[in-house]
Amino acid sequence: MRLLVLCTLVAAAAAWPNFGMMADSPGGASDVQKQHDVNSALWKVYEDIRDSNLIQLSQSFDPLSGHYDDDGVAAKRLMKELNENRLLEQHHWFSLFNTRQREEALMLYDVLEHSTDWSTFAGNAAFFRVRMNEGEFVYALYAAVIHSELTQHVVLPPLYEVTPHLFTNSEVIQEAYKAKMTQTAAKIESHFTGSKSNPEQRVAYFGEDIGMNTHHVTWHLEFPFWWDDAHENHHIERKGESFFWVHHQLTVRFDAERLSNHMDPVGELHWDDVIHEGFAPHTMYKYGGYFPSRPDNVHFEDVDGVARVRDMLILESRIRDAIAHGYVTGRDGSIISISDSHGIDVLGDVIESSLYSPNPEYYGALHNTAHMMLGRQGDPHGKFDLPPGVLEHFETATRDPAFFRLHKYMDNIFREHKDSLTPYTKDELEFPGVAVESISLKNRLETYFEDFEYSLINAVDDTAEIADVPISTVVKRLAHKDFTAECVINNNNENEVMATVRIFAWPKYDNNHVEFSFNDGRWNAIEMDKFWTKLAPGPNTITRSSKDSSVTVPDVPSFLTLIEKTEEAVSSGSELHLEDYVSGLGLPNRFLLSKGTTEGMKFHLVVFVSDGAKDAAIDGLYENTSFNHYGAHNGKYPDKQPHGYPLDRRVDDERIITGVTNFKGVDVKVYHVETQ
Ligand SMILES: [Cu+2]
């Protein structure tokens, strides 16, 4: 049945609907038109464009005649590069970590971002799609759709269906080519990389989860390290802190998965130690061959053109010096204090590093360089002319278990900083008159593996003359049953108050069944949810469904569904309702719980209720939907408190935090139910 539906969709897509620009509101094209154009620009991105309007634009549009808010500076610059044949060829791999390739992608991003009307945006997309490297094009278009004001309501198709090579195994891709060549519909089973003799295989479902990979890529698109305020139209608030937080959460979640599978938490990687875990990616580029492998137990080597191992040690020591001092030194020698809540933001910018770093000349780019160092250990001197490693793409990085070792290393540096701050006092933590009376779960917390099917149509080569056959892959992915938590919160004040409810959970025991201390547990806390709620005087029963968790997003509809919905709206003249999918920034909603164990794995679930009026970054603005985004209004994050608050600082005496009435913890169990 499922296959049948897919067939009709594929047929619909083969007969690609064509229509001209639709007239609309004074703003220009409608959201439906924009969605249609973005779909068309990304459909079969390695092939010729199929949409006749875009084909025509690709031939007739002149980027120099578009409308821009930068006087066409970006368009002139890119056209010059194009006309002087300096741009990377098509059918070549692309990596954001390659400086020149990134510059080219960003030149196109700038052109799109500075386009002030849709005909200029769409015209440029069509024009450059047929003239620039496909990887650069996809990156630039994704970044532009996320950041441009023109595309606020456009939903980006799932990246795993646009560039499937970066999300699945080479074996699956080869099967897909075979299906295409023989014109035989295929539903190919995907398996996680490696074999059972590799213990890391037990947690491969986490690193290779396509939804988690999409979350990771999307985060890096929303908070790009290359973001330049001088160039773009706004400042991205708390970017460095967000860098810390999103990777900290991936790290602690990975550790919880390891504990669920009876493995120790991941150890940190270090420059003068061997890289214990090798990795054979079994993944291939669309163009550029296979991703390079790395054997077990290799010693870090200097990487030509990237960095020397001792440079990395020097950068690390400069950063740790800054932490010990409580300040970083700016380019001009100025002293920038990091010994307060804001310090983590500066430190995140320094460690990544982003263009927000106050002194990249001195502190370097520990994270970005480390990704390249680690990514190249299979061919450090370029002897074998191998393409970049999985660590040099945000899509593929987490497939390599060394990714988590690398991030544990950086997370420990962040912890050194957080631990240097004074613990929160009782006064700071208290919310007078408010008490969490009870926390209960309405259902058993239950995880399982489900089959997820996605299309590989865009992975294979084809011609417009021959209709597509449905080709898809089915992959197992971790999911859980929806659950509801109920909290009784007493408000002993006379008036209604606004509260911020923060929910975390951490594994209760380590792999030897030794209970984590409060201080270690809270550092391993997984953020489950955060939301505002009004508390009336007296007892309040707050029920919250896992489906509403603000750290997660629902599955984006498949590319073909997106196309189908768009074309329906086009032909009926109706509106598109894709609001739920506009931000792909959160973790997948089905991924909220760690796997747990069949007998039930104990987690400590804590609820902390703080004063919403004090927490709100914008007075009176309590938008639950905006916690996922980089900002509710004008790029402002709605919550003033640091990410992870109040568990972000060390707890020397747990009685202080567990003693306030607005904090409560209970033990819960996560059960894993084996399917098949
Ligand atoms: Cu990352």
Side-chain angles (χ1 to χ4, degrees):
M1 186 58 211
R2 212 167 180 183
L3 209 65
L4 249 174
V5 175
L6 195 67
C7 276
T8 10
L9 285 177
V10 172
W16 193 261
N18 300 309
F19 59 95
M21 302 289 264
M22 295 188 304
D24 191 61
S25 53
S30 67
D31 288 337
V32 177
Q33 173 76 48
K34 291 175 182 176
Q35 185 69 52
H36 169 88
D37 289 342
V38 169
N39 291 347
S40 312
L42 289 166
W43 182 252
K44 298 194 182 217
V45 76
Y46 300 103
E47 306 288 325
D48 294 337
I49 306 179
R50 300 293 160 89
D51 176 69
S52 69
N53 179 40
L54 285 194
I55 294 173
Q56 213 223 321
L57 278 175
S58 72
Q59 294 156 353
S60 62
F61 181 77
D62 174 11
L64 297 177
S65 68
H67 300 113
Y68 303 101
D69 59 11
D70 68 339
D71 281 336
V73 171
K76 274 179 223 150
R77 188 179 47 176
L78 183 54
M79 284 306 284
K80 191 163 186 283
E81 297 287 323
L82 177 71
N83 292 332
E84 292 172 7
N85 293 319
R86 273 198 292 271
L87 297 178
L88 178 67
E89 70 209 80
Q90 294 197 317
H91 295 190
H92 187 287
W93 56 262
F94 158 73
S95 165
L96 189 67
F97 287 94
N98 178 300
T99 311
R100 171 63 193 176
Q101 293 182 4
R102 179 172 67 247
E103 278 168 8
E104 291 185 6
L106 296 186
M107 281 190 247
L108 175 56
Y109 166 79
D110 268 346
V111 173
L112 297 170
E113 168 67 15
H114 289 296
S115 299
T116 50
D117 57 39
W118 188 248
S119 53
T120 303
F121 190 109
N124 278 312
F127 181 89
F128 288 107
R129 175 178 145 157
V130 301
R131 290 170 178 83
M132 281 183 76
N133 174 273
E134 302 87 349
E136 294 182 352
F137 172 78
V138 171
Y139 185 80
L141 186 60
Y142 266 73
V145 168
I146 285 176
H147 293 286
S148 167
E149 304 220 332
L150 293 172
T151 41
Q152 279 183 359
H153 306 291
V154 172
V155 172
L156 284 161
L159 205 45
Y160 46 80
E161 291 188 326
V162 174
T163 53
H165 281 71
L166 298 175
F167 294 86
T168 188
N169 291 347
S170 42
E171 291 82 353
V172 170
I173 294 288
Q174 278 160 345
E175 285 284 319
Y177 281 121
K178 185 176 142 206
K180 182 69 196 178
M181 286 295 286
T182 55
Q183 285 286 292
T184 321
K187 199 155 131 181
I188 307 151
E189 236 178 90
S190 286
H191 298 280
F192 298 115
T193 309
S195 74
K196 289 221 160 83
S197 60
N198 180 2
E200 293 299 317
Q201 164 85 2
R202 284 188 246 158
V203 284
Y205 67 85
F206 185 84
E208 296 179 23
D209 186 283
I210 55 170
M212 190 275 277
N213 287 318
T214 305
H215 154 72
H216 185 215
V217 179
T218 309
W219 184 88
H220 281 282
L221 279 160
E222 293 258 8
F223 296 79
F225 62 83
W226 47 260
W227 188 267
D228 181 356
D229 285 6
H231 236 226
E232 323 302 344
N233 47 16
H234 69 276
H235 176 79
I236 301 178
E237 211 204 12
R238 292 168 65 176
K239 192 150 80 74
E241 185 190 2
S242 180
F243 169 77
F244 150 67
W245 186 245
V246 80
H247 292 95
H248 173 69
Q249 282 298 302
L250 287 181
T251 308
V252 298
R253 281 178 177 272
F254 185 62
D255 277 349
E257 296 305 335
R258 297 177 75 85
L259 289 170
S260 301
N261 289 285
H262 312 291
M263 296 163 81
D264 281 328
V266 79
E268 68 170 17
L269 195 87
H270 203 246
W271 304 112
D272 45 21
D273 193 5
V274 295
I275 313 166
H276 297 286
E277 253 79 46
F279 182 58
H282 285 259
T283 314
M284 68 200 278
Y285 283 93
K286 172 76 183 172
Y287 299 103
Y290 285 85
F291 278 87
S293 298
R294 181 187 64 243
D296 278 343
N297 298 316
V298 299
H299 283 270
F300 264 110
E301 280 204 51
D302 297 347
V303 175
D304 297 7
V306 176
R308 296 172 304 183
V309 175
R310 63 182 187 278
D311 296 335
M312 302 308 284
L313 287 164
I314 291 169
L315 293 181
E316 177 195 322
S317 114
R318 288 176 182 172
I319 291 166
R320 295 181 59 194
D321 253 4
I323 293 169
H325 280 131
Y327 64 82
V328 301
T329 312
R331 258 192 201 98
D332 55 357
S334 58
I335 282 180
I336 302 157
S337 169
I338 54 168
S339 52
D340 57 14
S341 292
H342 176 64
I344 187 74
D345 191 35
V346 178
L347 204 58
D349 290 334
V350 163
I351 288 179
E352 187 174 12
S353 73
S354 75
L355 292 189
Y356 286 180
S357 168
N359 197 350
E361 292 78 6
Y362 185 67
Y363 297 109
L366 189 70
H367 165 265
N368 289 353
T369 314
H371 265 265
M372 294 172 74
M373 285 290 282
L374 195 52
R376 298 288 174 85
Q377 289 304 309
D379 185 17
H381 309 298
K383 276 166 75 175
F384 312 111
D385 194 23
L386 295 179
V390 289
L391 279 145
E392 292 170 83
H393 300 267
F394 294 124
E395 291 90 335
T396 51
T398 59
R399 304 178 84 82
D400 187 339
F403 169 89
F404 293 102
R405 280 166 179 70
L406 175 66
H407 275 278
K408 181 58 85 66
Y409 158 73
M410 278 175 291
D411 204 48
N412 285 343
I413 299 178
F414 283 121
R415 185 173 184 173
E416 217 166 278
H417 159 71
K418 281 282 189 182
D419 282 354
S420 75
L421 305 177
T422 3
Y424 294 114
T425 62
K426 188 163 178 282
D427 263 7
E428 286 170 315
L429 294 172
E430 263 175 345
F431 187 3
V434 173
V436 183
E437 297 299 338
S438 67
I439 307 165
S440 56
L441 291 167
K442 300 276 115 197
N443 341 61
R444 202 166 97 119
L445 302 178
E446 210 173 286
T447 71
Y448 55 94
F449 282 99
E450 65 179 12
D451 282 340
F452 179 67
E453 183 179 352
Y454 64 97
S455 169
L456 297 176
I457 288 278
N458 285 338
V460 295
D461 306 322
D462 71 1
T463 94
E465 288 76 44
I466 302 171
D468 287 324
V469 290
I471 306 171
S472 64
T473 182
V474 178
V475 64
K476 292 246 176 283
R477 61 179 198 176
L478 183 66
H480 55 76
K481 289 199 171 154
D482 295 329
F483 56 91
T484 303
E486 192 181 276
C487 242
V488 178
I489 306 173
N490 249 330
N491 171 14
N492 297 323
N493 297 291
E494 273 169 31
N495 299 319
E496 182 182 87
V497 291
M498 181 55 79
T500 324
V501 181
R502 300 158 195 276
I503 308 179
F504 301 89
W506 66 76
K508 185 140 170 119
Y509 302 106
D510 73 8
N511 199 27
N512 294 315
H513 210 71
V514 176
E515 190 174 333
F516 282 112
S517 66
F518 191 94
N519 190 41
D520 280 336
R522 61 94 212 166
W523 181 254
N524 290 322
I526 292 170
E527 186 175 28
M528 303 291 287
D529 204 352
K530 175 156 70 172
F531 57 95
W532 313 103
T533 189
K534 281 183 187 154
L535 298 177
N540 293 261
T541 305
I542 314 282
T543 31
R544 180 83 172 169
S545 160
S546 60
K547 280 188 290 206
D548 297 326
S549 166
S550 63
V551 303
T552 68
V553 291
D555 275 334
V556 176
S558 73
F559 199 167
L560 287 169
T561 308
L562 213 65
I563 289 168
E564 187 194 33
K565 280 184 192 283
T566 311
E567 298 323 312
E568 256 171 38
V570 166
S571 48
S572 66
S574 58
E575 286 182 9
L576 260 176
H577 286 287
L578 300 169
E579 296 81 359
D580 289 351
Y581 314 108
V582 166
S583 170
L585 196 48
L587 279 161
N589 186 259
R590 60 170 168 89
F591 216 56
L592 194 55
L593 294 180
S594 306
K595 179 175 163 245
T597 54
T598 41
E599 63 277 16
M601 175 171 158
K602 246 189 200 171
F603 281 78
H604 194 57
L605 180 86
V606 302
V607 174
F608 180 75
V609 181
S610 53
D611 186 345
K614 260 201 232 161
D615 297 339
I618 306 163
D619 279 347
L621 186 85
Y622 304 104
E623 253 180 54
N624 281 336
T625 50
S626 55
F627 283 117
N628 276 335
H629 305 222
Y630 60 86
H633 274 275
N634 303 324
K636 240 191 167 4
Y637 190 75
D639 177 20
K640 247 193 301 197
Q641 302 292 357
H643 284 301
Y645 176 76
L647 304 177
D648 60 316
R649 293 208 188 173
R650 70 170 204 269
V651 174
D652 293 344
D653 181 349
E654 66 181 80
R655 289 169 304 179
I656 293 174
I657 186 160
T658 56
V660 297
T661 56
N662 45 317
F663 178 92
K664 195 170 182 67
V666 288
D667 287 347
V668 296
K669 276 184 176 179
V670 178
Y671 294 89
H672 180 68
V673 177
E674 301 277 355
T675 35
Q676 71 181 228

